[in-house]
Amino acid sequence: MDSTVTTGQETNVWGGGNQPLGVSYGKLMMWFFLVSDALTFSGFLAAYGFSRFKFIESWPIADEVFTHVPFFHGNYPMIYVAFMTFVLIMSSVTMVLAVDAGHKMKQNAVIWYMFATIIGGAIFVGSQAWEWSTFIKGDHGALETKGGRILQFVKADSGERASLSDFAVSIPDERVVHESKNGIWFFQEGTSTSFSLNEVVEGFKADTNILIRTELINEEGEKTLLDRQSSLAKLADAKEVVEGANLIHNEYGTRLFADFFFFITGFHGFHVFSGVLINIIIFFNVILGTYERRGHYEMVEKVGLYWHFVDLVWVFVFTFFYLV
Amino acid sequence: MAHEHKLEIFRGLVKFKSNTQKIWGVLAFLTLITAVEVVLGIMKPDILIDTLFMGMKVLNWIFIILTLVKAYYIAWDFMHLRDEKASLRRAIIWTPIFLVIYLVFILLVEADYIHNIYKDGFVSWNF
């Protein structure tokens, strides 16, 4: 058609190469990806909030769950996770410094700042792995009732938590191990707890210094402590021994807490892990001089955006899992 | 990437000489906020726990607000949204904010309803 007349001005607008938002294509797409990823995390955290509001009276208290610091014994809530938060913010800072050095085309500075960022990320992922293994291994042990509620134990005189090993008696019994020759449908042996239900119950009856603590949070914001009489009555509901946490059982309280903990910190940890990998790739590109030849360090800026986003998400995970 | 950095934070209250200085300044501020959060989380002052605002402890409100402050400075200074065009900033910020507020409102109201069913209804769960 002859009517398609192109004037110079139209070529400028529609001819390509325009940046109405003032950023390059790659950076814009990184931003859009981050927006969608932010919505994914928001969905997870909102679901967590949903379950928590549903069981607002019996949700585990984070300060009583995450109390360990590597290489130290004792009860230090918050300290280690505060350290992790600081490491991640610090690695965010070295990342901004790398981007800043990239703008000034200082190759060596970018290399060192990227290196520091990767180390920070690795420390964080390692810390999270340690946090997971501590959580999975468990602390004091507890009993689970028929309704799936958790009963924990407290020493009456000191008010401290009592571990199962503090009071459980040892009752010798024969445990027959199921072997593959005895069944056509052989499944792996399930893991057994260090004490049987019977041993814990008998030990509880023998030791008058032990009380039961239920999941219910009282008006002072603490878990409800039963007296000796009602403790013994409650004990009749117990169905099995729980040590540590997994997706089905959780000695710290409602199992949803463990599910969301694994799911959200796991998803975040996976982001950190892939962030470290991407950082390593870019790190080698910087060393090889790829961006020096390209004339700009925008790739460093793009992975930087991703890395800061990981930090941003952690700020929210920290608040909703450990603080609130 | 023509880059002049905006070097003022706190609405011009603090002005840094270079971008590098601003980064360290923001780090100091974020560390301070985290420290305040941790100290409050360990101490748990009674007055902040006993007072409720809109059905939630004041302490929890403080934590959430401090979190949003931290998020703002990470996005504005580390992700340098401060230096981007206002149109990009708005597209990125207001879309999730609107959707998240919507989702959180619906889910929390619904969860509260279910909580009341467990509490007052004839549903037995503590056995």
Side-chain angles (χ1 to χ4, degrees):
Chain A
M1 300 276 272
D2 300 324
S3 54
T4 41
V5 180
T6 318
T7 67
Q9 224 172 4
E10 278 166 358
T11 319
N12 280 345
V13 177
W14 302 109
N18 247 328
Q19 296 182 347
L21 294 178
V23 288
S24 69
Y25 177 80
K27 215 167 125 183
L28 193 62
M29 289 307 122
M30 178 53 91
W31 267 116
F32 286 170
F33 163 68
L34 293 184
V35 167
S36 70
D37 216 17
L39 290 173
T40 309
F41 272 109
S42 311
F44 292 165
L45 283 173
Y48 167 82
F50 176 83
S51 297
R52 188 167 170 171
F53 269 56
K54 204 166 129 184
F55 298 112
I56 195 87
E57 288 169 335
S58 55
W59 200 254
I61 298 167
D63 280 0
E64 295 172 358
V65 179
F66 307 103
T67 56
H68 293 287
V69 175
F71 312 117
F72 288 94
H73 289 285
N75 194 9
Y76 305 104
M78 302 278 301
I79 302 292
Y80 193 56
V81 72
F83 163 77
M84 283 166 67
T85 308
F86 182 72
V87 166
L88 204 58
I89 291 182
M90 200 56 220
S91 83
S92 239
V93 166
T94 54
M95 190 78 230
V96 199
L97 291 172
V99 174
D100 190 63
H103 284 157
K104 294 171 188 148
M105 301 297 286
K106 290 182 189 160
Q107 190 184 6
N108 273 326
V110 179
I111 291 174
W112 282 110
Y113 285 135
M114 285 295 289
F115 182 68
T117 310
I118 291 166
I119 297 297
I123 293 177
F124 183 85
V125 178
S127 303
Q128 222 168 24
W130 182 86
E131 188 95 339
W132 268 47
S133 87
T134 315
F135 185 73
I136 291 169
K137 206 168 76 197
D139 217 355
H140 300 289
L143 291 184
E144 194 176 307
T145 67
K146 296 182 197 102
R149 300 297 106 197
I150 288 295
L151 306 175
Q152 297 168 329
F153 300 97
V154 171
K155 289 174 189 153
D157 50 1
S158 61
E160 284 172 14
R161 290 286 305 278
S163 299
L164 295 183
S165 53
D166 292 345
F167 63 91
V169 291
S170 153
I171 304 170
D173 58 342
E174 290 253 319
R175 188 165 175 278
V176 184
V177 177
H178 184 48
E179 289 170 330
S180 59
K181 63 173 184 188
N182 295 330
I184 301 167
W185 301 108
F186 177 70
F187 293 95
Q188 210 80 44
E189 259 271 302
T191 44
S192 63
T193 47
S194 21
F195 299 100
S196 71
L197 177 62
N198 200 19
E199 286 172 331
V200 174
V201 171
E202 290 307 318
F204 184 87
K205 283 177 183 159
D207 193 340
T208 50
N209 191 29
I210 306 291
L211 297 175
I212 280 186
R213 207 173 76 144
T214 65
E215 281 181 31
L216 205 66
I217 295 174
N218 61 18
E219 277 164 12
E220 284 89 53
E222 289 160 4
K223 299 282 179 183
T224 314
L225 196 61
L226 301 178
D227 57 26
R228 185 71 191 166
Q229 210 79 52
S230 30
S231 288
L232 282 166
K234 196 79 190 162
L235 202 63
D237 292 340
K239 198 187 72 181
E240 61 186 312
V241 179
V242 181
E243 284 173 315
N246 53 40
L247 292 173
I248 306 162
H249 302 289
N250 173 14
E251 69 154 63
Y252 304 102
T254 173
R255 53 192 85 176
L256 277 171
F257 180 82
D259 296 346
F260 276 107
F261 177 77
F262 288 129
F263 197 57
I264 296 180
T265 64
F267 200 66
H268 176 264
F270 181 66
H271 272 74
V272 180
F273 175 71
S274 44
V276 170
L277 286 189
I278 298 168
N279 275 347
I280 288 173
I281 294 170
I282 301 299
F283 173 67
F284 282 116
N285 276 344
V286 176
I287 291 181
L288 293 173
T290 311
Y291 307 121
E292 202 67 23
R293 265 170 279 144
R294 193 175 287 176
H296 59 79
Y297 279 82
E298 205 188 71
M299 272 318 275
V300 177
E301 199 176 331
K302 279 179 231 167
V303 297
L305 287 179
Y306 180 72
W307 191 251
H308 298 312
F309 174 73
V310 165
D311 184 20
L312 188 69
V313 169
W314 178 254
V315 167
F316 285 90
V317 174
F318 173 61
T319 301
F320 291 114
F321 264 96
Y322 294 91
L323 287 177
V324 173
Chain B
M1 306 192 314
H3 271 92
E4 318 79 57
H5 296 284
K6 291 183 182 144
L7 298 174
E8 292 172 357
I9 64 169
F10 303 141
R11 301 207 159 265
L13 199 68
V14 181
K15 191 162 169 46
F16 294 101
K17 286 196 196 70
S18 72
N19 193 37
T20 324
Q21 256 186 15
K22 186 181 82 167
I23 294 166
W24 289 112
V26 171
L27 169 71
F29 181 61
L30 291 181
T31 311
L32 180 74
I33 292 186
T34 310
V36 169
E37 282 180 337
V38 171
V39 169
L40 280 180
I42 291 174
M43 281 173 40
K44 298 199 178 186
D46 287 339
I47 185 161
L48 296 179
I49 285 190
D50 296 338
T51 335
L52 293 183
F53 178 72
M54 283 176 64
M56 200 162 72
K57 292 169 192 159
V58 171
L59 186 66
N60 287 357
W61 280 111
I62 292 176
F63 284 146
I64 290 171
I65 289 165
L66 288 181
T67 304
L68 292 174
V69 170
K70 272 205 281 190
Y72 173 87
Y73 281 98
I74 290 174
W76 249 241
D77 290 306
F78 288 176
M79 301 169 103
H80 44 80
L81 273 181
R82 202 187 286 278
D83 304 329
E84 305 289 3
K85 272 192 178 177
S87 48
L88 175 67
R89 220 155 50 201
R90 285 173 193 148
I92 287 166
I93 299 301
W94 291 111
T95 314
I97 284 189
F98 166 72
L99 291 170
V100 168
I101 288 177
Y102 180 56
L103 181 72
V104 166
F105 169 73
I106 287 179
L107 284 189
L108 293 192
V109 169
E110 183 69 13
D112 192 49
Y113 168 74
I114 297 177
H115 169 247
N116 286 329
I117 294 288
Y118 277 135
K119 201 173 164 195
D120 308 324
F122 299 97
V123 183
S124 167
W125 57 275
N126 194 3
F127 53 90

